[in-house]
Amino acid sequence: VVGGALIGGKLAGVTGIELFPGRFTSFGYNPNDLALTMAIGIPFAWRLFLTRDGAIGWLGFIFFPIAVLSALLAASRGGMLSIVVASLVIPVTFFRLGGVKRSSLIAMTVLAVGAAIYIVPEESFERLMTIDDVGQTQISVEGLRNLSGSDNIRLSVWEAGITTFWENPYFGIGAGAYADVVAPISGDSYVAHNIFVSVLVELGGIGLLLFLGMIVYLAFATRFMDRNERTIWLVLLLTYAVGGFFLSWEHTKQTWLLVGLLAARAAYFKPVVTERGKATQLPAEVAELVRRQKQLELTRQEEHAGDGYANPGAEPTVVPHVVSPVEELGNPAIYDRRRRLVVEILSDSTLTLGKDPSVSDFYEALAERDETWVRGKSARDYFRRKLKLEYPKTLSGWSDIATQWAQELPPEEE
């Protein structure tokens, strides 16, 4: 919405969106904030295009040119650098796209380049090629030179903050106080325009260590995700770090939305470590869910006797039940049952698989045997969480695991 309004306003000649020649913004956004927000949106949009079909997937597709054109019109140098970093997700995962999407992406890139040449004024490109901030600012050149002797806004403000940091190295000068340090020297209040310098000066060395520790922990927590999603989240964090080197975003909604989403997603994928063959001690309400699941399994076995499991082509006689992650990971019996299905299918492939089976055929066979796996991806994710490693990508890899499981599984109860 913001990017479309900016581009549409520029084409329609709307007044008020041009801050000064070659620099545009939209809906009261600071142009630097707008550009970095667009950059952070690129990996999210790319994930939609990579994994979803239909309108939702193509909505992610059209976001990319809008984001790039918006950042070019904003003429934010830090924002454009972030756009470049965020766009790394495209070549890394490009060959996982289908032929139609690949061709569409190439065509869109050509059209976007032409649109940029037509829409973006020369002044914007000239600004993006410079490194000196003094061209358009409310801070006087004299005020900047009072800070550090440099005509570059960010360098001057960073040097003033670092000088103050040494007076309060452990706990800092207090949250939100950075502008108060700069104002007496330059005559104008000016934030750090750098997340890391801002946190260091305001919250001290301890605050910066905690902030960096949070980011590093979130990056490390992506190890349980599948390769596509892990790549997207790591590119997102790198985009944020690069853009944050030019903006004071430690307090913004964008920062904490990103942190919150990644923390929640990482927690969902993190496996529950239990002693083999023993259930964990569960809260009463979770234990009740497990008890109901066991009862449901018994009911299924009775209703499927002689048709569903013996004949994979038979229509299921019960409504599929989606097992929650709490039930699934808290009940080793479910894990053993699913391991047993893998062993059965791979030991007698003629029962369900064709003459030349693929890994996809194998996942579909699992889903036929256990309707709680709605599609093959559920099977991959389930075993990846359980095994705490990348799921096998070949049928022979699954066969090796099945051979091991066949020896480990206890006798099936009658």
Side-chain angles (χ1 to χ4, degrees):
V1 171
V2 173
L6 172 57
I7 297 169
K10 173 64 174 62
L11 292 173
V14 174
T15 59
I17 65 172
E18 187 172 13
L19 297 180
F20 48 81
R23 194 150 205 211
F24 302 82
T25 190
S26 176
F27 291 123
Y29 264 83
N30 176 287
N32 299 313
D33 290 335
L34 185 149
L36 183 53
T37 302
M38 290 294 177
I40 286 178
I42 286 176
F44 285 117
W46 181 253
R47 184 180 188 279
L48 289 179
F49 185 55
L50 185 67
T51 61
R52 300 286 294 274
D53 294 322
I56 295 297
W58 290 101
L59 185 64
F61 172 77
I62 66 173
F63 179 81
F64 179 69
I66 291 175
V68 174
L69 289 174
S70 299
L72 287 172
L73 287 170
S76 169
R77 287 158 291 197
M80 276 309 302
L81 184 58
S82 302
I83 289 281
V84 171
V85 174
S87 300
L88 292 176
V89 72
I90 296 176
V92 170
T93 58
F94 179 78
F95 291 102
R96 300 173 201 171
L97 293 173
V100 174
K101 288 189 174 182
R102 288 187 199 176
S103 301
S104 300
L105 181 63
I106 294 172
M108 181 270 292
T109 302
V110 175
L111 291 175
V113 171
I117 296 173
Y118 174 74
I119 296 173
V120 181
E122 185 179 350
E123 293 88 348
S124 299
F125 288 112
E126 290 176 354
R127 187 177 193 279
L128 291 170
M129 296 301 292
T130 66
I131 59 172
D132 194 349
D133 282 293
V134 77
Q136 296 285 347
T137 177
Q138 296 177 349
I139 295 182
S140 66
V141 175
E142 181 181 354
L144 289 174
R145 289 174 177 165
N146 287 339
L147 285 173
S148 68
S150 170
D151 288 348
N152 187 286
I153 294 175
R154 285 184 173 83
L155 288 179
S156 300
V157 174
W158 294 347
E159 289 180 21
I162 294 298
T163 300
T164 305
F165 161 73
W166 293 112
E167 300 174 5
N168 305 272
Y170 301 111
F171 301 104
I173 61 175
Y178 198 105
D180 297 332
V181 173
V182 177
I185 306 174
S186 67
D188 292 284
S189 297
Y190 209 71
V191 296
H193 272 247
N194 184 308
I195 290 175
F196 310 105
V197 173
S198 183
V199 172
L200 178 67
V201 174
E202 294 184 358
L203 304 181
I206 295 175
L208 182 62
L209 285 175
L210 290 172
F211 186 81
L212 293 176
M214 174 186 67
I215 301 299
V216 171
Y217 175 81
L218 289 173
F220 187 66
T222 62
R223 68 192 186 279
F224 295 116
M225 299 179 182
D226 62 61
R227 184 172 57 180
N228 283 347
E229 186 157 4
R230 181 170 63 249
T231 299
I232 288 169
W233 279 112
L234 291 177
V235 170
L236 265 169
L237 286 176
L238 183 59
T239 301
Y240 174 80
V242 170
F245 202 75
F246 301 95
L247 288 175
S248 294
W249 261 29
E250 66 275 10
H251 65 288
T252 63
K253 294 178 181 178
Q254 292 97 321
T255 292
W256 298 104
L257 174 65
L258 182 64
V259 169
L261 286 174
L262 178 49
R265 195 64 174 156
Y268 172 79
F269 278 101
K270 186 177 181 181
V272 175
V273 179
T274 61
E275 185 179 353
R276 182 183 298 277
K278 294 184 179 180
T280 54
Q281 185 66 34
L282 301 175
E285 60 272 18
V286 178
E288 175 63 17
L289 288 174
V290 173
R291 186 193 66 77
R292 292 179 183 178
Q293 176 64 24
K294 290 180 178 179
Q295 182 60 43
L296 181 60
E297 291 300 323
L298 293 175
T299 303
R300 280 185 184 150
Q301 291 176 10
E302 294 174 358
E303 295 187 3
H304 277 285
D307 61 354
Y309 289 111
N311 180 9
E315 291 293 328
T317 57
V318 293
V319 177
H321 171 73
V322 178
V323 183
S324 71
V326 173
E327 294 176 273
E328 197 172 81
L329 297 177
N331 189 355
I334 298 177
Y335 180 48
D336 283 344
R337 181 173 62 80
R338 290 188 166 180
R339 289 200 302 170
R340 199 179 303 280
L341 283 178
V342 172
V343 173
E344 289 176 0
I345 292 172
L346 292 177
S347 62
D348 186 9
S349 60
T350 59
L351 183 63
T352 305
L353 304 179
K355 295 181 179 179
D356 186 22
S358 66
V359 179
S360 298
D361 295 330
F362 165 62
Y363 289 137
E364 292 303 320
L366 287 176
E368 288 179 359
R369 293 295 192 88
D370 184 345
E371 63 270 16
T372 59
W373 284 329
V374 180
R375 55 185 183 273
K377 184 176 182 298
S378 300
R380 297 199 303 268
D381 291 345
Y382 178 83
F383 282 118
R384 179 180 45 72
R385 292 198 303 271
K386 282 292 187 179
L387 296 172
K388 294 186 289 186
L389 47 77
E390 288 288 341
Y391 53 84
K393 297 176 177 59
T394 63
L395 205 58
S396 60
W398 274 111
S399 297
D400 293 340
I401 291 180
T403 301
Q404 178 184 348
W405 284 350
Q407 300 172 353
E408 296 177 354
L409 284 167
E412 189 171 9
E413 296 181 3
E414 296 182 0

